[in-house]
Amino acid sequence: MTGIQRVHRRLAFVMAVTVGMIAAAAVPASAITGGETLTAGQYSFTAQLRTTGTDRGCTAVLVHPQAVLTDAACVAGADGVVSAGAPKLPTTITVGRADLTATTTGFVTQAARIIPHPTRPLALVELAARTSIAPVTVSRTAPVAGERLVLAGYGRTADQWVPDVLKSGAATVGAVAAGTVTTTGGVGVCKGDAGGPVLRQGTSTVELVGLHHASNQAGCLAEAATGTPEATGTRVDDLYTWVNGNVPSLGSTFEAGDHQPHYRNSTGAGLGGGHGGVANVTGITTTAAVPELFLGTDSRSHSGTQMLLYSGKDTSTTSSYAFLRAFTYGNVMLRAGSVLSYWVYPQSKANSFDLAEGDNSMCVAMDLIFTDGSTLRDSGLTDQDGHGIHPANQCGTMTLDTWNEVRVEVGGRFAGKVLRTVMVGYQQAANTGGFRGFIDDYKITDVVATDKFSTGLGTGETQPTWTNTLAGGVSPRGGAANIGGVASTVTVPELFVGTDHLGTGAGNILLYSGKDNSATSSYAYLKSFGLAQTFGGPTTKLHYRVYPQSKTNSYNLADGNNSKCVAIDLIFHDRTTDTLSNLRSSTAPASNGKRPHPAEQCTALTLDKWNDVTVDLGSLANGKEIVEIDFGYDQPANTGGYRGFVDDIRISF
């Protein structure tokens, strides 16, 4: 690392600007000139960014388990434009590898989404997968002139084009301006260092102050500049709110295509673990028998046209409450920076068809229930105005008939805890009568979401709930017709955990087999995994691998292409309407271009190899509970045996 060459890049979010990019001129470079070589574990939040099809090499900084910050020019398209959304060029990010040749260490993934800053030459890059490497803390304290800061990067050095190691060293802050910090002396910054960290090193803490953006290139190999190294970084200490608001988050605007509620008018009664329940609250009218929380449409929506509508009738002046479920998760963990925010519109009597009384509609709040039984309402936390976040403490704190924002910093209390349920609660002791209103634009920033379901069938991993068990005969489950055992010693179609006896390296697998006895209609759907409280969202995907065997590779048991006519099937439960549906009957496209129905896969899979299949569940599963994973064979044309393996089943967030 030694200097940053200024190059011109057109940024999509502003007019054409000059961007100082420290990218390698030929091969992606890596290191700070004059600095020391770091070893494994030192500044492991530093990442290297490589773009396929270009000579671009940059540095980046992990600020969330699934996001890095880097210089905007590092993620520009071939035309130099930095655009929000999927990266224009395939981009590989390596985190936690001080020596890039040590391929057994660190974490490697792809860039999934680019979020450019609207006014500064930097971008947040969402990763395709999350890492367990600890991110750096984004500072909230501005640098000052004379302060010593640490610079790190994978850029060119004074004597190496491609050092392939992470280097760091100190420099002195020469000037601080709006959006920039200039360092002088000490180490220099070179091509390949763009997007690397400018750090404040404390006795036991490290904070990110800025990102490398431009330099005079003094001390860099093959550069003419001499004299004292000088570099300009893009400040991030005043961008904490922007970073926190754009790292992976949870929430919904409730519009079509966004996360849809999992329930309709569903109380927490009987669930225990802090779910609240209902006492002395009924339906708001004679036609509404229960307190309500459901997806509604109204022109008064805070954004768009859809939001949550809540209502009920308080029947006691001493103890009245109703807590209703909106979402169930179980795979979302909060972090120290997590902030809950939402908008609430409490209705007055005049604005609610004369249903709401007094200020009752204000006595509401969103509640978070965690897997350890702790709750937001009993945490003692307050909103941005200092009001307790318990529903009873929100009484009288809002304005009727308008949208009120509520924001709570929840990370300090609940960091590391796993969110189970998001609820909306009403509670107050004093008054009786109706309450009614809307909730919209709910969000929890800075969260880590794991897969909804994942198994490789190995020791310690989730094992099937059923073995060789037909998936009913009642729709939407598939049942079976004209299928027997694949051999005389096997009387039924099979689906069980076995060992990869073909030596493909899979270890434990699900082995499927059967024998098709009809050339007109033959199918067999077998149950594998039973799931609980696993709900789909707009980005949910099904991933699995399947290995259909040929006749010669299956002890002569499989015939023709029969083994390819298979697919995983999912059973969905829409709790808002109490209806069931399946995956196989949908038009959701699989990654091989065919529908996910087993009969459609007959021409899509390849025998005697592992086939990766991904199905975008998207709108099909959004808001629905995935209650069962089945596996089916289905084809009308041929007869004979079929056999193969299934492995690495995953339902992503």
Side-chain angles (χ1 to χ4, degrees), residues 267-278 322-325 327-328 367 369-370 373 375 377 420-423 533:
T267 72
L271 294 177
H275 282 80
V278 177
F323 290 84
L324 292 97
R325 294 186 290 176
F327 298 93
T328 292
D367 195 16
I369 317 299
F370 297 89
T375 67
R377 69 179 186 274
R420 181 183 179 191
T421 311
V422 175
M423 308 187 79
Q533 297 184 335

Side-chain angles (χ1 to χ4, degrees), residues 184-195:
T184 62
V187 297
V189 175
C190 297
K191 296 174 182 178
D193 290 323

Side-chain angles (χ1 to χ4, degrees), residues 539-607:
T539 61
T540 300
K541 292 180 172 61
L542 167 68
H543 311 264
Y544 64 94
R545 298 196 304 153
V546 59
Y547 189 106
Q549 293 174 263
S550 67
K551 188 178 188 71
T552 58
N553 209 18
S554 65
Y555 309 105
N556 292 325
L557 296 174
D559 289 296
N561 291 318
N562 288 357
S563 302
K564 302 194 309 187
C565 302
V566 294
I568 281 183
D569 192 20
L570 302 177
I571 305 299
F572 305 107
H573 181 195
D574 187 336
R575 287 184 172 269
T576 66
T577 59
D578 196 25
T579 56
L580 296 175
S581 58
N582 60 46
L583 172 61
R584 71 181 186 278
S585 300
S586 74
T587 58
S591 53
N592 52 33
K594 298 292 185 178
R595 288 178 48 226
H597 193 286
E600 291 281 322
Q601 295 295 302
C602 294
T603 58
L605 303 179
T606 302
L607 291 174

Side-chain angles (χ1 to χ4, degrees), residues 294-310:
F294 63 89
L295 183 67
T297 301
D298 194 284
S299 61
R300 290 167 290 186
S301 174
H302 183 254
S303 63
T305 60
Q306 296 188 160
M307 70 280 162
L308 285 178
L309 187 149
Y310 66 86

Side-chain angles (χ1 to χ4, degrees), residues 374-394:
S374 58
T375 67
L376 174 59
R377 69 179 186 274
D378 293 327
S379 67
L381 294 178
T382 59
D383 64 19
Q384 74 274 23
D385 296 319
H387 306 302
I389 197 57
H390 192 288
N393 293 332
Q394 294 286 299

Side-chain angles (χ1 to χ4, degrees), residues 453 457 463-474 476-480 492-497 510-513 523-531 567-571 580 584 627-633 642 646 649:
F453 176 88
L457 300 162
Q463 299 297 304
T465 311
W466 300 281
T467 296
N468 301 344
T469 303
L470 289 176
V474 180
R477 293 175 175 85
V492 294
E494 297 176 300
L495 186 67
F496 64 91
V497 176
L510 277 179
L511 189 148
Y512 67 87
S513 75
Y523 54 88
Y525 292 84
L526 289 90
K527 298 195 291 185
S528 187
F529 298 91
L531 279 59
I568 281 183
D569 192 20
L570 302 177
I571 305 299
L580 296 175
R584 71 181 186 278
V627 297
E628 196 171 296
I629 299 176
D630 297 342
F631 188 79
Y633 165 89
Y642 61 90
V646 184
I649 304 168

Side-chain angles (χ1 to χ4, degrees), residues 396-419:
T397 67
M398 306 180 197
T399 302
L400 292 173
D401 300 333
T402 191
W403 284 105
N404 301 259
E405 184 183 21
V406 178
R407 190 172 66 254
V408 189
E409 294 188 4
V410 294
R413 180 62 57 86
F414 297 108
K417 294 194 175 187
V418 176
L419 180 62

